[in-house]
Structures are given as C-alpha cells and as structure tokens.
Amino acid sequence: LQTRMQSLQPDPKAQYRSVYEALKKIVLTEGFWRPLRGINVTMLGAGPAHAMYFACYEKMKKSLSDTIQHGGNSHLANGIAGSVATLLHDAVMNPAEVVKQRMQMFNSPYKSVLACIRTVQKTEGFGAFYRSYTTQLTMNVPFQAIHFITYEFMQEQINPHREYNPRSHIVSGAVAGAVAAAATTPLDVCKTLLNTQENVALSSVNIGGHLSGMVNAFKTVYQLGGISGYFRGVQARVIYQMPSTAIAWSVYEFFKYFLTKHKLEKRT
C-alpha cells in the first residue's frame, strides 16, 4: 500500500484517496494476495538483518552508556548505537526492499522474485540494488535514532525498573515506530522513487535514464508534488510501522529475558 500511495504520477487505475480505499481497490481488482506480493523476499532478508541489528545495538548501547554515563541510560548512546546497527541492517535489506517495491508497483512487469532479480541485474546492473542505499541510510539513521531514543524514553516512563513486561514493550515499540515513521516520511518518499524509478513520473519532468542520488530525488519529488508530495503515504507508513516495531521489540525483549533467565538458571 505504501509503495502505491507514494507513487508520484500514478496510473488513473491506481489512484487512492485513503489507506482503506487503496486496500479495497487492490484486493477487488488485482486479487486478495496482491498486497502481500514480494513479502517472501522481505522475510528472507529480515532474519539475518534483524539478528545483526539487535546484536550490534545491544553491544554498542552498553559500551557507550558505560563511557558516557557510567552505566546509566544515555539517550545519546541509544541514538548512536541504533544508527550504527542500521548500517548492517540496511546492507542486507536494501536489495530485498528494491525487489519488493518493484513487485508491488501497479502493472509490475515482474512475474516472480527471481525474475525481478534477473531482469534488474541484466538491464540495470548490480548497482540498481543499492541505488537508494545512501538515501535509505540518510532516512534510517535519523529514523533509528528517533526510534531507539523514543523506545528507551517510553520504557523509562512506563517500565522504570526495566523488567520483562510485554505490555510496556508493545506500547513503547508502537509509539517509537509511529513517531519515527512520521518524522522521516519525506525521505521515504524519495527512497521509493529511487527504488521504483517510476517511468511516468520521471518522464513528466523530462528525466531520461535512471534517477540517482538523494538530492536529485528531493528536487524531483518537489517538482512533482510540492511540499505535500513529501508526505504522501504518511498514514500508511505510520500504520505499517506501529505494529512492526511493537512486534519487533516484544519478540526481542522476550528472547532477551528468556536467554538471560536460562543463563542464570544454568549458573545456579
């Protein structure tokens, strides 16, 4: 939905006024499973990407907090640790995101994930999978900094003793995801344009070939939609991120609690 709603020059058949209308129209005209197209490639990359992401975050957060605030909870440490963890996460997820978004476009020419990978590799080269990497990082570094700082701040407010409390992790994760998603929507719109290389949009502003670079993407989005163009799909983005971050944090905190408890039991 987010990919479709961020389209800057959508096909008349793919113009949507709201998230609900978009979902209803896609299901009725393109089939029940169409909104989930490309999800398999995301799932494939998500496991290793999140493993590196949380492992790096936990290690850096502890080291930096010890240095900056002598073992206390430092918001600066949380923000830096989240930003560095993003570098590893996005190196795995960027190609998966390119394939997913191309398969989710209206009238996508790709029949399967493998067909999409082969065609992009053959026609645009390996660099196409990382064309939006700098934009992704430029977006995700502030996103993750805001996300981790908000999560840790929420935990301080509703779970000050930092015990395992599923409800507090879900609420903190959802709030952190919503705040970070809303704040970084303009960068996400630019990333979507770089990933999809939307032909109708690019030709309408006389851009031949491929659009590359965040600065060019920013200019193109403004030419096509003005200031409001930067906030296309903000609802879909917030709705998608809230459960996503809530689930990620609750699963992470559960395994952290489970493994720590198991370790202590083994020692005793």
Side-chain angles (χ1 to χ4, degrees), residues 61-74 77:
K61 181 181 84 165
K62 193 176 185 309
S63 305
L64 289 169
S65 287
D66 286 345
T67 308
I68 299 166
Q69 215 164 302
H70 307 294
N73 181 35
S74 163

PDB file of all heavy atoms in Angstrom, residues 61-74 77:
ATOM      1  N   LYS A  61      25.241  -0.078  22.748  1.00  0.00           N
ATOM      2  CA  LYS A  61      24.499   0.676  23.776  1.00  0.00           C
ATOM      3  C   LYS A  61      25.186   0.528  25.137  1.00  0.00           C
ATOM      4  O   LYS A  61      25.396   1.506  25.843  1.00  0.00           O
ATOM      5  CB  LYS A  61      23.045   0.174  23.849  1.00  0.00           C
ATOM      6  CG  LYS A  61      22.191   0.903  24.874  1.00  0.00           C
ATOM      7  CD  LYS A  61      20.770   0.367  24.924  1.00  0.00           C
ATOM      8  CE  LYS A  61      20.649  -0.840  25.792  1.00  0.00           C
ATOM      9  NZ  LYS A  61      19.248  -1.174  26.141  1.00  0.00           N
ATOM     10  N   LYS A  62      25.565  -0.719  25.449  1.00  0.00           N
ATOM     11  CA  LYS A  62      26.212  -0.986  26.740  1.00  0.00           C
ATOM     12  C   LYS A  62      27.576  -0.290  26.818  1.00  0.00           C
ATOM     13  O   LYS A  62      27.877   0.399  27.792  1.00  0.00           O
ATOM     14  CB  LYS A  62      26.359  -2.496  26.932  1.00  0.00           C
ATOM     15  CG  LYS A  62      26.739  -2.893  28.357  1.00  0.00           C
ATOM     16  CD  LYS A  62      26.782  -4.398  28.531  1.00  0.00           C
ATOM     17  CE  LYS A  62      27.042  -4.797  29.974  1.00  0.00           C
ATOM     18  NZ  LYS A  62      28.189  -4.139  30.589  1.00  0.00           N
ATOM     19  N   SER A  63      28.387  -0.456  25.771  1.00  0.00           N
ATOM     20  CA  SER A  63      29.729   0.140  25.757  1.00  0.00           C
ATOM     21  C   SER A  63      29.673   1.662  25.857  1.00  0.00           C
ATOM     22  O   SER A  63      30.392   2.279  26.642  1.00  0.00           O
ATOM     23  CB  SER A  63      30.479  -0.257  24.484  1.00  0.00           C
ATOM     24  OG  SER A  63      30.509  -1.643  24.353  1.00  0.00           O
ATOM     25  N   LEU A  64      28.791   2.272  25.036  1.00  0.00           N
ATOM     26  CA  LEU A  64      28.693   3.733  25.016  1.00  0.00           C
ATOM     27  C   LEU A  64      28.086   4.297  26.299  1.00  0.00           C
ATOM     28  O   LEU A  64      28.510   5.340  26.787  1.00  0.00           O
ATOM     29  CB  LEU A  64      27.886   4.200  23.804  1.00  0.00           C
ATOM     30  CG  LEU A  64      28.573   4.042  22.438  1.00  0.00           C
ATOM     31  CD1 LEU A  64      27.585   4.286  21.312  1.00  0.00           C
ATOM     32  CD2 LEU A  64      29.751   4.994  22.293  1.00  0.00           C
ATOM     33  N   SER A  65      27.076   3.605  26.847  1.00  0.00           N
ATOM     34  CA  SER A  65      26.453   4.061  28.105  1.00  0.00           C
ATOM     35  C   SER A  65      27.463   4.030  29.249  1.00  0.00           C
ATOM     36  O   SER A  65      27.490   4.925  30.091  1.00  0.00           O
ATOM     37  CB  SER A  65      25.238   3.196  28.458  1.00  0.00           C
ATOM     38  OG  SER A  65      24.159   3.492  27.604  1.00  0.00           O
ATOM     39  N   ASP A  66      28.311   2.996  29.259  1.00  0.00           N
ATOM     40  CA  ASP A  66      29.361   2.896  30.288  1.00  0.00           C
ATOM     41  C   ASP A  66      30.331   4.072  30.181  1.00  0.00           C
ATOM     42  O   ASP A  66      30.782   4.619  31.181  1.00  0.00           O
ATOM     43  CB  ASP A  66      30.137   1.579  30.141  1.00  0.00           C
ATOM     44  CG  ASP A  66      29.324   0.387  30.613  1.00  0.00           C
ATOM     45  OD1 ASP A  66      28.304   0.602  31.312  1.00  0.00           O
ATOM     46  OD2 ASP A  66      29.678  -0.760  30.271  1.00  0.00           O
ATOM     47  N   THR A  67      30.644   4.460  28.936  1.00  0.00           N
ATOM     48  CA  THR A  67      31.596   5.553  28.692  1.00  0.00           C
ATOM     49  C   THR A  67      30.972   6.916  28.984  1.00  0.00           C
ATOM     50  O   THR A  67      31.543   7.743  29.692  1.00  0.00           O
ATOM     51  CB  THR A  67      32.081   5.519  27.217  1.00  0.00           C
ATOM     52  OG1 THR A  67      32.545   4.206  26.925  1.00  0.00           O
ATOM     53  CG2 THR A  67      33.195   6.529  26.974  1.00  0.00           C
ATOM     54  N   ILE A  68      29.749   7.138  28.421  1.00  0.00           N
ATOM     55  CA  ILE A  68      29.115   8.462  28.525  1.00  0.00           C
ATOM     56  C   ILE A  68      28.505   8.713  29.903  1.00  0.00           C
ATOM     57  O   ILE A  68      28.630   9.786  30.473  1.00  0.00           O
ATOM     58  CB  ILE A  68      28.046   8.646  27.407  1.00  0.00           C
ATOM     59  CG1 ILE A  68      28.713   8.555  26.014  1.00  0.00           C
ATOM     60  CG2 ILE A  68      27.312   9.985  27.542  1.00  0.00           C
ATOM     61  CD1 ILE A  68      27.738   8.383  24.858  1.00  0.00           C
ATOM     62  N   GLN A  69      27.793   7.700  30.424  1.00  0.00           N
ATOM     63  CA  GLN A  69      27.045   7.937  31.669  1.00  0.00           C
ATOM     64  C   GLN A  69      27.339   6.905  32.757  1.00  0.00           C
ATOM     65  O   GLN A  69      26.492   6.633  33.603  1.00  0.00           O
ATOM     66  CB  GLN A  69      25.539   7.978  31.349  1.00  0.00           C
ATOM     67  CG  GLN A  69      24.765   8.980  32.223  1.00  0.00           C
ATOM     68  CD  GLN A  69      23.408   9.273  31.621  1.00  0.00           C
ATOM     69  OE1 GLN A  69      23.327   9.722  30.484  1.00  0.00           O
ATOM     70  NE2 GLN A  69      22.352   9.005  32.351  1.00  0.00           N
ATOM     71  N   HIS A  70      28.504   6.287  32.695  1.00  0.00           N
ATOM     72  CA  HIS A  70      28.954   5.317  33.701  1.00  0.00           C
ATOM     73  C   HIS A  70      27.893   4.264  34.032  1.00  0.00           C
ATOM     74  O   HIS A  70      27.493   4.104  35.185  1.00  0.00           O
ATOM     75  CB  HIS A  70      29.417   6.032  34.975  1.00  0.00           C
ATOM     76  CG  HIS A  70      30.437   7.096  34.710  1.00  0.00           C
ATOM     77  ND1 HIS A  70      31.705   6.818  34.227  1.00  0.00           N
ATOM     78  CD2 HIS A  70      30.366   8.449  34.829  1.00  0.00           C
ATOM     79  CE1 HIS A  70      32.372   7.950  34.069  1.00  0.00           C
ATOM     80  NE2 HIS A  70      31.595   8.949  34.424  1.00  0.00           N
ATOM     81  N   GLY A  71      27.410   3.595  32.989  1.00  0.00           N
ATOM     82  CA  GLY A  71      26.454   2.506  33.196  1.00  0.00           C
ATOM     83  C   GLY A  71      25.006   2.922  33.240  1.00  0.00           C
ATOM     84  O   GLY A  71      24.117   2.084  33.272  1.00  0.00           O
ATOM     85  N   GLY A  72      24.720   4.235  33.218  1.00  0.00           N
ATOM     86  CA  GLY A  72      23.331   4.719  33.219  1.00  0.00           C
ATOM     87  C   GLY A  72      22.719   4.615  31.834  1.00  0.00           C
ATOM     88  O   GLY A  72      23.347   4.145  30.891  1.00  0.00           O
ATOM     89  N   ASN A  73      21.466   5.059  31.699  1.00  0.00           N
ATOM     90  CA  ASN A  73      20.788   5.018  30.395  1.00  0.00           C
ATOM     91  C   ASN A  73      21.018   6.345  29.669  1.00  0.00           C
ATOM     92  O   ASN A  73      20.388   7.344  29.984  1.00  0.00           O
ATOM     93  CB  ASN A  73      19.287   4.746  30.599  1.00  0.00           C
ATOM     94  CG  ASN A  73      18.561   4.669  29.265  1.00  0.00           C
ATOM     95  OD1 ASN A  73      19.113   4.195  28.277  1.00  0.00           O
ATOM     96  ND2 ASN A  73      17.328   5.148  29.236  1.00  0.00           N
ATOM     97  N   SER A  74      21.927   6.348  28.713  1.00  0.00           N
ATOM     98  CA  SER A  74      22.239   7.563  27.964  1.00  0.00           C
ATOM     99  C   SER A  74      21.470   7.596  26.648  1.00  0.00           C
ATOM    100  O   SER A  74      21.590   6.682  25.825  1.00  0.00           O
ATOM    101  CB  SER A  74      23.745   7.629  27.685  1.00  0.00           C
ATOM    102  OG  SER A  74      24.012   8.562  26.669  1.00  0.00           O
ATOM    103  N   ALA A  77      23.824   7.609  23.724  1.00  0.00           N
ATOM    104  CA  ALA A  77      24.349   6.259  23.453  1.00  0.00           C
ATOM    105  C   ALA A  77      23.328   5.421  22.693  1.00  0.00           C
ATOM    106  O   ALA A  77      23.666   4.721  21.731  1.00  0.00           O
ATOM    107  CB  ALA A  77      24.717   5.573  24.766  1.00  0.00           C
TER     108      ALA A  77
END
